[in-house]
């Protein structure tokens, strides 16, 4: 019998890579997609899975309890991967209610539905490194203190703790993957890596003059989504449910990342601060300002540095990423150059 998996956020970056992985492992996959994003299955097209006969799309908002219950009852899945949500930290400051409605309450719906229906259904929750906020005790592992610094992070802490609570109270198989930032050629263009690779592809092709960023000194532990969904799947294949940090263990600043992307397009940037204290990145050859920073891209409260320690996952899950920072950024830029050249 083929295993059945429900993937929420099925057409997002992680949902798409995970769906591809599950299909390759012989699952029947049911992708829950929000009705408003139904038309945007470009990610599935990019990964060549759109027409797969073992893949079904379900138009549903996970904020609708009774519809969710009905769907789970009718599919009777072996595994549920909850990857849906409002994933953009910046927007969570302007829209905290929407963030909590999509990132927190539905997790409780899933846990309640599983508890009442069939406790054998395994549940994966997409937790986030943002939950650590500005915890300075890096590298961060599963025991590090959660210090959420945005409505997004607070919404994720609620879900994370609820998963642990249900696991301990009802002996359910529910696990959290605490994923550090993970990117790919299908990363949303709001996120800084993709914003930069796309902009430099356009600058290279003379379609754009410059790029405006926010806090370029902040540091992240960036991995590749394709590697990270391997870990997600492995987390639900363990004998016992548990929580795992998934990270590369290396950090770079946004400025480092911009410098690397620029170098791949044969540009060398010289950085200086203007009279108002904002950074400018000047093309050394043409003397043009290619990168600016502006207050409008700063967050009311930013997480300055995130660096993960994934020793537990590497040992227990035998997980190891294939990509490194450079190979990932290179791939993202190459894909953006191809798209922008069309
Ligand atoms: P996050 O870690 O989930 O918030 O992922 P992002 O890619 O959105 O942001 C990573 C870091 O880059 C954060 O510290 C941002 O403040 C910083 N950053 C600097 N400039 C920008 C920008 O223009 N857009 C975004 N999204 N982030 C920026």
């Amino acid at each position: 019998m083929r295993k059945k998996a429900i993937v929420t956020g099925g057409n997002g970056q992680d949902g798409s890579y995970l769906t591809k992985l599950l299909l390759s492992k012989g699952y029947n996959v049911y992708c829950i997609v929000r009705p408003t994003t139904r038309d945007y299955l470009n990610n599935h097209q990019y990964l060549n899975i759109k027409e797969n006969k073992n893949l079904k799309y379900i138009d549903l908002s996970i904020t609708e309890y009774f519809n969710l219950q009905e769907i789970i009852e009718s599919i009777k899945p072996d595994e549920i991967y909850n990857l849906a949500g409002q994933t953009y930290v910046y927007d969570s400051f302007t829209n905290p209610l929407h963030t909590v409605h999509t990132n927190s309450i539905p997790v409780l719906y899933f846990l309640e539905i599983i508890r009442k229906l069939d406790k054998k259904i395994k549940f994966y929750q997409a937790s986030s490194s943002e939950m650590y906020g500005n915890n300075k005790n890096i590298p961060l592992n599963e025991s590090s203190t959660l210090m959420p610094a945005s409505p997004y992070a607070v919404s994720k802490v609620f879900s994370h703790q609820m998963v642990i609570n249900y696991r301990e109270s009802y002996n359910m198989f529910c696990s959290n993957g605490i994923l550090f930032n993970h990117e790919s050629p299908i990363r949303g263009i709001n996120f800084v890596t993709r914003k930069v690779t796309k902009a430099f592809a356009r600058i290279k092709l003379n379609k754009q003059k410059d790029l405006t960023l926010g806090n370029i000194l902040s540091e992240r532990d960036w991995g590749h989504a394709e590697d990270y969904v391997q870990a997600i799947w492995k987390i639900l294949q363990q004998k016992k449910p548990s929580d795992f940090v998934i990270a590369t263990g290396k950090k770079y600043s946004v400025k480092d990342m911009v410098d690397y992307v620029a170098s791949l397009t044969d540009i060398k940037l010289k950085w200086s601060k203007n009279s108002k204290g904002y950074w400018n990145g000047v093309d050394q050859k043409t003397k043009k300002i290619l990168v600016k920073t502006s207050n409008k891209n700063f967050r009311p409260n930013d997480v300055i540095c995130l660096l993960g320690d994934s020793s537990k996952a590497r040992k227990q899950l035998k997980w190891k990423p294939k990509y490194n920072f450079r190979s990932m950024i290179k791939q993202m830029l190459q894909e953006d150059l191809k798209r922008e050249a069309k």
Side-chain angles (χ1 to χ4, degrees), residues 129-138 140 145-150 153 215 218-220 300-306:
S129 55
E130 286 288 327
M131 298 189 304
Y132 296 117
N134 282 312
N135 183 335
K136 300 270 183 317
N137 288 324
I138 56 168
L140 300 149
T145 307
L146 305 179
M147 298 170 58
S150 64
N215 181 11
S218 95
E219 295 174 304
R220 288 291 183 273
N301 191 3
D302 200 9
V303 175
I304 304 307
C305 171
L306 286 174

Side-chain angles (χ1 to χ4, degrees), residues 135-180:
N135 183 335
K136 300 270 183 317
N137 288 324
I138 56 168
L140 300 149
N141 65 23
E142 293 78 6
S143 320
S144 301
T145 307
L146 305 179
M147 298 170 58
S150 64
Y152 170 83
V154 173
S155 76
K156 286 288 182 182
V157 170
F158 172 94
S159 304
H160 182 81
Q161 299 291 5
M162 205 52 97
V163 164
I164 296 173
N165 191 266
Y166 269 64
R167 185 165 76 215
E168 291 175 352
S169 307
Y170 305 114
N171 198 23
M172 283 165 46
F173 197 115
C174 37
S175 299
N176 291 299
I178 309 168
L179 271 51
F180 280 62

Side-chain angles (χ1 to χ4, degrees), residues 161-282:
Q161 299 291 5
M162 205 52 97
V163 164
I164 296 173
N165 191 266
Y166 269 64
R167 185 165 76 215
E168 291 175 352
S169 307
Y170 305 114
N171 198 23
M172 283 165 46
F173 197 115
C174 37
S175 299
N176 291 299
I178 309 168
L179 271 51
F180 280 62
N181 295 52
H182 45 289
E183 323 292 307
S184 76
I186 55 170
R187 183 60 146 156
I189 51 168
N190 284 338
F191 292 89
V192 75
T193 50
R194 184 75 202 292
K195 183 172 171 182
V196 171
T197 57
K198 185 172 180 209
F200 271 89
R202 291 173 60 82
I203 289 170
K204 176 90 184 159
L205 298 165
N206 290 321
K207 291 170 92 176
Q208 184 170 330
K209 277 201 340 240
D210 52 25
L211 157 73
T212 307
L213 297 171
N215 181 11
I216 58 167
L217 300 183
S218 95
E219 295 174 304
R220 288 291 183 273
D221 177 335
W222 278 297
H224 197 299
E226 196 177 338
D227 283 330
Y228 284 33
V229 299
Q230 293 275 353
I232 292 178
W233 175 74
K234 282 174 175 231
I235 288 173
L236 285 200
Q237 311 315 310
Q238 299 304 293
K239 284 212 180 74
K240 285 192 186 148
S242 188
D243 306 324
F244 293 89
V245 159
I246 307 299
T248 69
K250 292 212 165 65
K251 67 179 170 64
Y252 298 85
S253 68
V254 172
K255 193 159 158 267
D256 294 336
M257 188 261 298
V258 175
D259 276 332
Y260 184 55
V261 176
S263 75
L264 293 173
T265 55
D266 300 322
I267 292 170
K268 184 146 178 44
L269 294 172
K270 189 160 188 269
W271 295 92
S272 59
K273 270 190 184 174
N274 67 16
S275 56
K276 289 191 178 138
Y278 292 113
W279 287 96
N280 284 331
V282 178

Side-chain angles (χ1 to χ4, degrees), residues 227 230-231 233-235 238-239 244 246 310-322:
D227 283 330
Q230 293 275 353
W233 175 74
K234 282 174 175 231
I235 288 173
Q238 299 304 293
K239 284 212 180 74
F244 293 89
I246 307 299
S310 59
S311 318
K312 180 180 171 186
R314 289 177 195 239
K315 193 159 169 240
Q316 282 189 37
L317 306 178
K318 298 189 175 51
W319 174 79
K320 200 172 161 224
K322 289 202 186 82

